[in-house]
Amino acid sequence: MTKRIVVDPITRIEGHLRIEVIVDDNNVITDAFSTSTLWRGLETIVKNRDPRDAGFLVQRICGVCTFSHYKAGITAVEDALGIKPPLNAILTRTLMNISLFLHDHAVHFYTLHGLDWCDITSALQADCEKAAKLAFKYSPNPICTGENDLKAVQEKVGAFVKQGALGPFANAYWGHKTYRFSPEQNLIVLSHYLKLLEVQRVVAQMMAIFGAKNPHPQSLTVGGVTSVMDILDPSRLGDWLSKYKEVVEFVNRAYWADIIMAAEAYKTEDSVLKGCGLKNFISFQEMQVGEDEWLFSSGIVKDGDLSKVYPIDESKITEEATHSWYEDNEPLHPYDGKTNPKYTGFRDAQTIGANGKLVDSKIIDENGKYSWIKSPRYDGEPMEVGPLASVVVGYASGNPAIVKVVDELLSVTGLPVEAIFSTLGRTAARAIECKVVADNGIKAFNALVANIAAGDKNTCATYAIDKNKDYKGRYIGNVPRGMLSHWVRIKNGVIENYQAVVPSTWNAGPRDSKGQKGPYEMSLIGTQVKDITQPLEIIRHIHSFDPCIACAVHVMDTQGNELSQYKVEPSFARLR
């Protein structure tokens, strides 16, 4: 007898995501459905606007990866107008991008995904002296400095537990059968979780040095950057460098050490060795650190075959909406993309509740439309994007920066390269990408300083827009969540059409007209859920992608039609 489990919403992500799965008598997932229940209007808002405004508007797609969409919007227009920014501007954008990657990956692992691996309540039972010694197994210079520091962490969190006020640690599946860290390992990760709160502030300041503020920086402009005085001021450059070094210390002494520890502890946990049902990967070059040097590579790897990397043909990128709440079902290239809503809602059914019993519920119509996210395809096939795709493509391409770090991880953990095709591997890939940026980001800083010292102070290219000419252009790159592309058509001096094909659209999209599932849905198939009332395995798989559903959905109904209904239940809290 099959059962349906609904997890709605998936928490600790950006936006609103619902996952429905079908499990058999052994609680093994036999089918899965990824549904976005949020709708927005960014792609429509930029129409008929001055193209130079696009970057400033589309960065509001997300409150996390603001710089990614900002840079994409600016670069797409530059591509349309045939503009090449000066090297100083390119390298300054890279320094801002470095700040974003270091921030995004570290915050994801600890704040959003770490509690899928770390059992907080177990950490309260740890032997602090033993934990302090154990930390040296994973780092020659641990960032947690000793027994007293770990004791302070234990006491701080323990005080919350005694009050029944777990705050960000509340409502988790503590004691779940698939947790593998010892109490001492849990305490080490918990100490880094709290340390990150300090580091997060520092790395946000890195972005603000050249971006004026964070989030939503303001210094990029079509043609270059406006932070001229910051680039030419040695004290501002020095401030960025000192903060960069501080964050790199955290990445190498805490984040990287915890990934090695997780690989050791979880390499026998069956559920995390799954989570990569689709082994088609696409990634695009990103992070220019010199005149002709990029940290991440472009290409496609199919069926997990690391012996072959295929070049990307941009004309083969499409989006379709067969199972998405839009009118136009046919696959369309992003230059010709449409966003006309057609909401068909949910249907009544019974699902497994938190107590393990059947409850009245609403479920998606799996044979019809069931998500606000479209289904991107490359040459008609679904593709995974993200750090795992970036690492797989880079490793298969022989990218020296990526090969070095991947081989180091495999050597230390004793895992085969095939282990990367899993939820554990996807989580490790994010740390690999972060370490590559941490270890090589200094190249961009040194290149910028050297270029300025050589007398080049140019920060913006000149250009003109011919209102009698039609333009089209795009940005394609790799941002923290994966391959991102923005596509723009300009006519009569204003934006005629704009489409953003974002990482979470590639990964979270529903089935297509051929019945092909997207990466989220494929990642869940074959996983056994140990306790259907505590589906941690589902959460862990999906969190490993770092979903950003706010990025993935851009639609509005300009006619004012009702698209969905919301019921807000009142809640009350006693003030102290």
Side-chain angles (χ1 to χ4, degrees), residues 344-356:
T344 55
F346 293 78
R347 59 190 180 90
D348 295 326
Q350 287 191 317
T351 61
I352 301 297
N355 59 2

Side-chain angles (χ1 to χ4, degrees), residues 105-316:
H105 287 346
V107 168
H108 171 262
F109 178 71
Y110 290 101
T111 308
L112 304 179
H113 191 31
L115 303 187
D116 301 333
W117 308 89
C118 172
D119 187 333
I120 298 299
T121 56
S122 168
L124 302 180
Q125 311 304 318
D127 181 319
C128 295
E129 180 181 3
K130 184 178 176 182
K133 292 178 180 178
L134 181 63
F136 283 92
K137 179 180 179 181
Y138 307 105
S139 171
N141 186 19
I143 210 151
C144 53
T145 55
E147 180 182 353
N148 290 336
D149 285 343
L150 291 172
K151 191 74 172 177
V153 169
Q154 201 176 48
E155 290 174 351
K156 180 182 292 186
V157 177
F160 286 122
V161 173
K162 289 178 182 178
Q163 296 173 11
L166 275 172
F169 308 134
N171 300 321
Y173 301 139
W174 307 131
H176 195 276
K177 295 177 182 179
T178 63
Y179 278 127
R180 289 290 176 264
F181 281 148
S182 68
E184 288 71 31
Q185 289 173 321
N186 281 315
L187 181 58
I188 291 170
V189 176
L190 176 58
S191 72
H192 295 160
Y193 180 107
L194 298 180
K195 178 65 176 177
L196 175 71
L197 300 179
E198 302 172 26
V199 175
Q200 184 176 359
R201 180 179 66 249
V202 174
V203 73
Q205 292 168 344
M206 285 172 60
M207 174 69 76
I209 288 172
F210 299 121
K213 67 189 189 75
N214 182 70
H216 303 303
Q218 297 291 298
S219 60
L220 272 59
T221 188
V222 171
V225 294
T226 60
S227 49
V228 181
M229 298 306 295
D230 299 307
I231 297 169
L232 302 180
D233 184 346
S235 67
R236 298 291 280 170
L237 291 166
D239 193 17
W240 188 92
L241 181 60
S242 66
K243 295 181 188 303
Y244 165 77
K245 290 180 177 178
E246 181 178 347
V247 177
V248 167
E249 285 286 297
F250 179 83
V251 171
N252 285 324
R253 294 168 58 194
Y255 184 11
W256 185 244
D258 286 346
I259 289 297
I260 292 173
M261 187 167 69
E264 175 193 82
Y266 279 88
K267 63 184 179 182
T268 59
E269 170 49 47
D270 181 67
S271 67
V272 305
L273 297 178
K274 298 183 184 299
C276 192
L278 176 69
K279 294 182 181 178
N280 293 339
F281 302 96
I282 185 169
S283 188
F284 207 87
Q285 72 177 18
E286 186 65 54
M287 205 67 73
Q288 187 172 350
V289 295
E291 190 79 53
D292 297 303
E293 183 179 0
W294 301 75
L295 291 186
F296 303 127
S297 307
S298 291
I300 293 169
V301 169
K302 293 185 177 181
D303 300 320
D305 182 1
L306 296 174
S307 69
K308 178 70 173 177
V309 178
Y310 299 88
I312 296 174
D313 180 348
E314 297 174 20
S315 68
K316 294 182 178 180

Side-chain angles (χ1 to χ4, degrees), residues 5 7 27 34 41 50 54 73 99 102 120 132 183 200 215 267 272 274 301-302 312 325 388 427 436 464 503 518 536:
I5 303 172
V7 184
N27 291 342
S34 169
D50 189 312
S99 306
L102 295 178
I120 298 299
Q200 184 176 359
K267 63 184 179 182
V272 305
K274 298 183 184 299
V301 169
K302 293 185 177 181
I312 296 174
W325 285 313
L388 179 55
T427 301
V436 167
L536 177 59

Side-chain angles (χ1 to χ4, degrees), residues 101 104-105 108 113 117 255 259 272-284 296-306 309 383-397 399 402-403 406 409-410 415-436 478-483 503 506-507 519-520 522-523 540-546:
F101 269 74
D104 194 280
H105 287 346
H108 171 262
H113 191 31
W117 308 89
Y255 184 11
I259 289 297
V272 305
L273 297 178
K274 298 183 184 299
C276 192
L278 176 69
K279 294 182 181 178
N280 293 339
F281 302 96
I282 185 169
S283 188
F284 207 87
F296 303 127
S297 307
S298 291
I300 293 169
V301 169
K302 293 185 177 181
D303 300 320
D305 182 1
L306 296 174
V309 178
M383 295 278 164
E384 177 173 336
V385 304
L388 179 55
S390 174
V391 168
V392 166
V393 170
Y395 194 78
S397 301
N399 181 318
I402 291 177
V403 169
V406 172
L409 181 66
L410 296 178
L415 288 168
V417 70
E418 291 77 17
I420 200 167
F421 300 117
S422 65
T423 287
L424 177 62
R426 189 178 294 109
T427 301
R430 185 166 277 102
I432 290 168
E433 196 174 68
C434 190
K435 185 167 171 56
V436 167
N478 230 62
V479 302
R481 287 175 174 87
M483 192 177 83
W506 282 98
N507 290 334
Y520 282 12
M522 285 294 291
S523 74
R540 192 183 280 139
H541 283 331
I542 299 301
H543 277 166
S544 71
F545 290 91
D546 191 10

